[in-house]
Amino acid sequence: MLRSTATRLVTRRLSNAKSYSTSNWKQQLQHNSALYNFVEENVRLCQPESVHVCDGTESEYDRLIQRQVDEGLLIKLNEKKRPNSYLARSDPGDVARLEKATFICSEKEEDAPNGTWRDPKEMKETLNGLFDGCMKGRTMYVIPFSMGPLGSPIAKIGVQLTDSEYVTLGMRTMTRMGKPVLDLLADSDDFVPCLHSVGKPLKQGETDNGVWPCNNTKYICHFPEEYRIMSFGSGYGGNALLGKKCFALRIASKMGRDQGWLAEHMLILGITNPQGEKKYVCAAMPSQTGKTNMAMLLPSLPGWKIETVGDDIAWLKYGPDGRLYAINPENGFFGVAPGTNEKTNPNALNSISRNTVFTNVALTEDNDVWWEGLTKQAPPNLTDWLGKPHDPSSGKPAAHPNSRFTVGIDQCPCLDPAANEPKGVPISAILFGGRRSEVVPLVHESFNWEHGTMMGASLRSELTTAASDVKDKIRSDPFAMLPFFGYHIGDYFQHWLNVGAKSEDKTKLPKIFFVNWFRKDKDGKFVWPGFGENIRVLKWIFERCQAQDEEGLDSTKNAKKTPIGFIPEQLDLEGLDVSEETMKMLFDIDRAEWEEEIAGVKATLKEKGGDKLPKELVNQANNVEKRLKEMWDLL
């Protein structure tokens, strides 16, 4: 286990760490035989020209940045407009997560999520063939990193080997990386080994010459029994920054099941009311459904405050007081650029005003960045994400729809003071949400943990661009985790039920809600204004949690019971021009729509849970169907 000694990481940069020499990696790692052996065996396999053990210092970061600039792989942006910031352009075939190339290599096929299994022995043979000599002419970077605050009882350590400077820079931003982690690991073998290569060896004297390195053959593989990750061929995002989805969700979800905690695709935020009372909320939403916007929300209601702990991933574990505590295992934002603007997320724009690496956005005449949605009108003479002059009449976007910014969390102006608290923050509510243009109301609350688990398990959402190889218009996305499960989904459902059953005091369990900001009218226009106005829904959630604290589990304060859960008797709409008709539409439970919806819920549970689907979730779905029928019979 990660040792719960001293070290609380207050700042991201680790700039006070003393640098290791890069001349002799064997000497640097000889104190830890497991780590030494991991590096040595992969040096023999991958055959890099050199090996560098990362120390995480500012000077190291600057050297790597300059090397990428010199090789034409990063473009320095306008120093006056965007200090210390850069633009990367990836290969057109390496722009997003690749779900069809992502595999769970468990010992038994029945233990893997549907359709993701490969035999671990056969996969290792395939990968070893690909990794053989793959780093020739390149440097192997040894990256010790911590997922979560150093010294946290919830955090875990990993070590990634990569031949990509871009990935090394990203890992420094997105994790706690460098010598402090290596010092904390000491001689322990308790780390997740992660091997990555872009799969493009260089001949003697050859350079990348400004061309994004990757390979047409791509594999992102997880070995859950070993807690091991191997990724080949991609240099982009979660395919290559192995601390992110690969470790923090797929491997960590298996760890969580083995050890009794949860690894979730959830933001974490703190809500403070005008009286100074504070509660923490987690929310699970598929990519590109407003997670980062919600995590950094600027409330429209006077006196209310939102502060950010994390925008993407949460690890939840019971504390000594019987409550679930959460940490953000990451240390930065890997956010979607398109659609980010002063209205949707002013805090994000502030965060990326400096010290940021952008990927696949457009470039302006004066060397600043631009993307669709940043301003109403595109600046003239843009260079698009492919490095070509942008033609607005072509109908093609200037920035890739999945273009990103990578920035340290310490630049967030609304960062929560407890963001680096080793024990985590106590969670009062868990939200599920998706992009649904009809059927699902603005917000509803589950009747209990089991009902809430069913709500999360049956989540469905309209398609986003974060995955490049998914064709469905609306797909089932249980817990917003579909691409990230590390073991069989039916077992995952049962694990959620088990976590709830473990609580000895149900009043300490987080209340569970479902939100939908994306409902549309018959003309296809969004009904709810969203963004900062979402605080009105969060206020109701806050007060429902408060009511449970004061009145117990059976409290119905400002809550109307419906067949699908509690909805608000009234939202705080002061200062908001929303008609009574609109509010009725937002909470309408239509018979025909819900007959189809509950059939979809049952189909989702059966499809995803398979033979391992817990009976309790079937019972919960049947209960909803029964309540709906009783309501309609009365009408």
Side-chain angles (χ1 to χ4, degrees):
M1 278 181 81
L2 181 63
R3 298 170 180 177
S4 58
T5 57
T7 341
R8 175 178 176 180
L9 187 68
V10 178
T11 60
R12 175 178 62 93
R13 291 296 185 184
L14 307 180
S15 57
N16 293 326
K18 292 182 179 179
S19 177
Y20 276 112
S21 165
T22 61
S23 60
N24 190 346
W25 69 266
K26 293 184 178 181
Q27 182 179 352
Q28 296 165 36
L29 303 180
Q30 64 182 354
H31 65 283
N32 187 313
S33 60
L35 178 55
Y36 181 97
N37 292 338
F38 170 57
V39 175
E40 183 181 47
E41 69 182 31
N42 285 295
V43 167
R44 290 200 306 268
L45 176 65
C46 302
Q47 302 169 42
E49 183 176 274
S50 59
V51 178
H52 175 81
V53 180
C54 293
D55 56 37
T57 58
E58 194 81 35
S59 59
E60 177 184 73
Y61 181 87
D62 292 343
R63 288 195 302 271
L64 290 173
I65 284 283
Q66 191 57 51
R67 181 169 178 175
Q68 289 273 279
V69 171
D70 292 344
E71 293 184 358
L73 294 169
L74 284 180
I75 297 169
K76 183 168 176 56
L77 299 176
N78 188 315
E79 185 65 20
K80 290 184 179 180
K81 286 194 168 186
R82 198 80 57 170
N84 196 34
S85 297
Y86 300 84
L87 170 64
R89 295 185 179 125
S90 76
D91 184 274
D94 196 18
V95 294
R97 282 187 284 105
L98 295 166
E99 294 183 18
K100 290 182 180 178
T102 301
F103 303 106
I104 303 297
C105 305
S106 52
E107 293 295 332
K108 297 178 181 178
E109 182 174 1
E110 66 190 54
D111 291 335
N114 304 350
T116 64
W117 184 78
R118 290 294 185 274
D119 180 271
K121 183 178 179 181
E122 293 178 2
M123 182 55 76
K124 282 186 179 179
E125 289 177 357
T126 297
L127 290 171
N128 285 338
L130 292 170
F131 277 105
D132 188 6
C134 68
M135 295 187 185
K136 286 182 178 179
R138 297 187 182 276
T139 298
M140 172 188 281
Y141 296 93
V142 181
I143 306 171
F145 64 96
S146 177
M147 302 307 294
L150 271 73
S152 166
I154 311 176
K156 301 289 180 183
I157 284 178
V159 178
Q160 177 166 344
L161 311 182
T162 182
D163 54 2
S164 166
E165 287 88 7
Y166 174 87
V167 168
T168 305
L169 292 166
M171 287 294 289
R172 183 179 183 273
T173 301
M174 294 302 299
T175 70
R176 289 90 170 165
M177 181 266 267
K179 184 179 182 295
V181 181
L182 204 56
D183 291 344
L184 187 62
L185 182 63
D187 60 355
S188 172
D189 63 355
D190 189 16
F191 64 90
V192 172
C194 308
L195 177 62
H196 167 258
S197 174
V198 295
K200 190 179 184 300
L202 297 172
K203 298 176 182 178
Q204 188 171 4
E206 184 185 8
T207 67
D208 288 314
N209 197 27
V211 178
W212 176 273
C214 62
N215 194 302
N216 290 332
T217 299
K218 295 178 175 66
Y219 287 96
I220 302 95
C221 299
H222 311 73
F223 300 85
E225 285 86 2
E226 301 177 59
Y227 300 158
R228 179 182 295 268
I229 304 163
M230 299 175 74
S231 175
F232 180 89
S234 172
Y236 189 86
N239 302 329
L241 276 68
L242 301 186
K244 197 164 177 59
K245 308 298 190 186
C246 293
F247 184 169
L249 290 178
R250 297 190 189 100
I251 290 299
S253 66
K254 176 62 164 58
M255 284 181 167
R257 184 194 176 200
D258 293 345
Q259 300 167 12
W261 51 279
L262 296 169
E264 301 300 326
H265 190 207
M266 293 179 175
L267 64 84
I268 313 169
L269 58 80
I271 310 176
T272 305
N273 69 7
Q275 290 73 43
E277 299 166 307
K278 189 167 192 175
K279 295 186 183 299
Y280 288 94
V281 172
C282 287
M285 301 171 178
S287 296
Q288 297 187 346
T289 53
K291 277 178 70 184
T292 299
N293 292 346
M294 182 177 170
M296 300 183 187
L297 186 143
L298 193 62
S300 62
L301 288 177
W304 287 81
K305 183 165 63 173
I306 297 292
E307 292 172 299
T308 310
V309 177
D311 76 324
D312 195 31
I313 298 172
W315 289 358
L316 298 93
K317 189 175 183 178
Y318 278 109
D321 61 355
R323 300 185 67 184
L324 279 173
Y325 284 74
I327 64 166
N328 172 15
E330 298 187 301
N331 204 35
F333 302 121
F334 183 65
V336 176
T340 303
N341 57 51
E342 282 289 351
K343 179 183 177 182
T344 62
N345 199 335
N347 283 322
L349 282 191
N350 187 305
S351 299
I352 60 177
S353 63
R354 62 208 182 281
N355 305 321
T356 304
V357 174
F358 298 88
T359 305
N360 292 340
V361 299
L363 189 67
T364 65
E365 277 186 301
D366 60 351
N367 257 36
D368 197 12
V369 291
W370 189 86
W371 50 81
E372 279 68 20
L374 178 61
T375 56
K376 289 185 179 181
Q377 296 293 326
N381 303 321
L382 286 171
T383 302
D384 70 14
W385 70 277
L386 294 168
K388 299 177 181 178
H390 178 58
D391 178 8
S393 66
S394 69
K396 296 179 181 179
H400 189 277
N402 194 43
S403 55
R404 299 277 177 156
F405 53 80
T406 309
V407 65
I409 199 170
D410 59 349
Q411 293 191 186
C412 178
C414 56
L415 185 66
D416 193 274
N420 279 298
E421 175 59 50
K423 71 178 182 180
V425 295
I427 301 303
S428 296
I430 291 173
L431 281 57
F432 296 110
R435 183 180 288 270
R436 298 295 302 273
S437 57
E438 53 189 10
V439 184
V440 181
L442 178 63
V443 60
H444 61 289
E445 174 193 336
S446 70
F447 294 124
N448 50 47
W449 181 271
E450 293 76 18
H451 180 211
T453 299
M454 187 276 292
M455 286 162 51
S458 58
L459 190 156
R460 297 194 294 167
S461 187
E462 294 168 11
L463 180 65
T464 74
T465 57
S468 65
D469 53 2
V470 179
K471 305 299 182 185
D472 301 335
K473 181 180 178 183
I474 297 179
R475 71 169 181 176
S476 303
D477 192 355
F479 294 89
M481 279 282 289
L482 187 61
F484 311 124
F485 289 110
Y487 59 97
H488 194 282
I489 299 175
D491 289 331
Y492 178 92
F493 293 167
Q494 185 61 56
H495 180 52
W496 258 76
L497 293 170
N498 293 346
V499 168
K502 188 177 178 181
S503 173
E504 297 179 0
D505 182 352
K506 303 306 180 188
T507 64
K508 292 183 177 181
L509 279 174
K511 294 178 77 67
I512 299 178
F513 301 81
F514 199 104
V515 297
N516 176 29
W517 317 126
F518 300 98
R519 194 145 180 177
K520 295 181 179 180
D521 62 19
K522 61 183 180 181
D523 297 321
K525 296 180 179 179
F526 289 115
V527 180
W528 180 248
F531 308 119
E533 303 298 349
N534 291 339
I535 188 61
R536 301 173 189 273
V537 173
L538 294 177
K539 177 185 176 183
W540 180 73
I541 290 169
F542 183 102
E543 291 172 347
R544 287 294 297 145
C545 296
Q546 210 169 35
Q548 175 173 290
D549 294 341
E550 296 169 356
E551 302 175 8
L553 291 171
D554 297 328
S555 173
T556 57
K557 187 176 181 180
N558 192 18
K560 177 182 177 181
K561 188 175 181 179
T562 76
I564 64 171
F566 292 111
I567 62 173
E569 287 276 8
Q570 187 174 359
L571 286 180
D572 183 348
L573 301 178
E574 185 176 354
L576 184 64
D577 185 18
V578 176
S579 68
E580 185 176 337
E581 181 183 356
T582 295
M583 294 308 297
K584 184 178 179 181
M585 184 188 307
L586 283 165
F587 289 100
D588 181 47
I589 301 174
D590 180 83
R591 176 169 187 166
E593 289 180 343
W594 270 96
E595 283 178 342
E596 184 177 344
E597 182 70 13
I598 199 65
V601 165
K602 287 186 166 185
T604 292
L605 294 174
K606 184 176 180 180
E607 175 196 358
K608 303 304 180 186
D611 294 338
K612 297 187 177 187
L613 176 63
K615 290 183 180 179
E616 177 60 34
L617 296 192
V618 177
N619 293 339
Q620 289 293 332
N622 288 338
N623 290 342
V624 174
E625 186 174 44
K626 181 181 177 182
R627 291 191 295 266
L628 286 165
K629 188 177 185 304
E630 289 172 349
M631 181 188 77
W632 291 322
D633 287 347
L634 288 174
L635 297 175

